[in-house]
Amino acid sequence: DAANTHVFTGDVMLTGTHEVLGAATLTGDMQIQSQAAASDRPILGLYSHATNAANSGPELDFKRFYDSDLAAGDNLGEIRFKAGETEGYHNTNNQAVTILAEVGNNRDGTAAWVDDSSHPGRFSIYVTNQGSTTGARRFDIQADGATNISGALGPLSSSGEIHAAKLVGNDLAVS
């Protein structure tokens, strides 16, 4: 109803604790920032109090709308973990870890995106190495299930099952 509808335009800052009950749409960028206290940290909570369905837990939903063909490698959403030691680094690119979801394809180049019938995906984790400022793809799951892990032990790829692995020193023992 109109009494419970709030429309904000321009820059808006809310302080304290706020709840949105029901549906809300925010257009543009939104930032949740903690206060100056050292023990304060921003929290984004997603809560479900539904008791009538087994699959009624909260969801974090990334959606991309594109008025053209989606192609392998197109970004579907990402979560970035950043830091800065200097106040004012809000818009910098100091990324340590990035979790990325993309339109995927199989190793043979097949699996095109087709609305309502084929939605290949690719899930990757990028990690920035000591002495670098650019993340490298360290973990990757392709649309066909092929998994790639790369790092100090060298690349490890599998399109089947990996049964048991044990790290002995710097060597990977697989049984």
Side-chain angles (χ1 to χ4, degrees):
D1 65 30
N4 293 318
T5 301
H6 301 281
V7 177
F8 299 101
T9 58
D11 294 334
V12 176
M13 178 182 286
L14 303 173
T15 58
T17 300
H18 300 275
E19 290 185 3
V20 176
L21 302 175
T25 300
L26 302 171
T27 303
D29 295 339
M30 183 178 80
Q31 179 176 325
I32 300 173
Q33 182 175 336
S34 67
Q35 300 299 316
S39 64
D40 195 15
R41 65 184 193 274
I43 297 173
L44 174 62
L46 305 174
Y47 308 99
S48 173
H49 297 282
T51 59
N52 59 350
N55 296 322
S56 60
E59 296 179 4
L60 182 59
D61 201 3
F62 293 80
K63 293 182 181 178
R64 177 178 177 177
F65 298 101
Y66 194 56
D67 283 338
S68 186
D69 292 336
L70 288 167
D74 284 353
N75 184 321
L76 297 176
E78 58 189 275
I79 300 172
R80 290 174 273 163
F81 299 86
K82 298 178 169 186
E85 294 178 334
T86 305
E87 181 68 34
Y89 264 62
H90 301 297
N91 296 318
T92 62
N93 197 27
N94 297 334
Q95 292 180 194
V97 176
T98 301
I99 300 171
L100 175 66
E102 301 173 293
V103 173
N105 65 333
N106 293 321
R107 291 175 182 264
D108 63 3
T110 62
W113 186 282
V114 179
D115 280 347
D116 299 323
S117 68
S118 179
H119 311 133
R122 176 175 166 167
F123 178 82
S124 302
I125 299 176
Y126 289 78
V127 178
T128 303
N129 197 13
Q130 177 69 32
S132 179
T133 58
T134 304
R137 191 181 308 235
R138 299 293 188 200
F139 179 78
D140 190 66
I141 301 174
Q142 301 282 340
D144 62 0
T147 303
N148 302 303
I149 302 170
S150 63
L153 298 173
L156 173 63
S157 296
S158 174
S159 58
E161 296 179 14
I162 297 176
H163 293 280
K166 179 179 173 184
L167 185 61
V168 180
N170 285 332
D171 297 324
L172 182 65
V174 178
S175 60

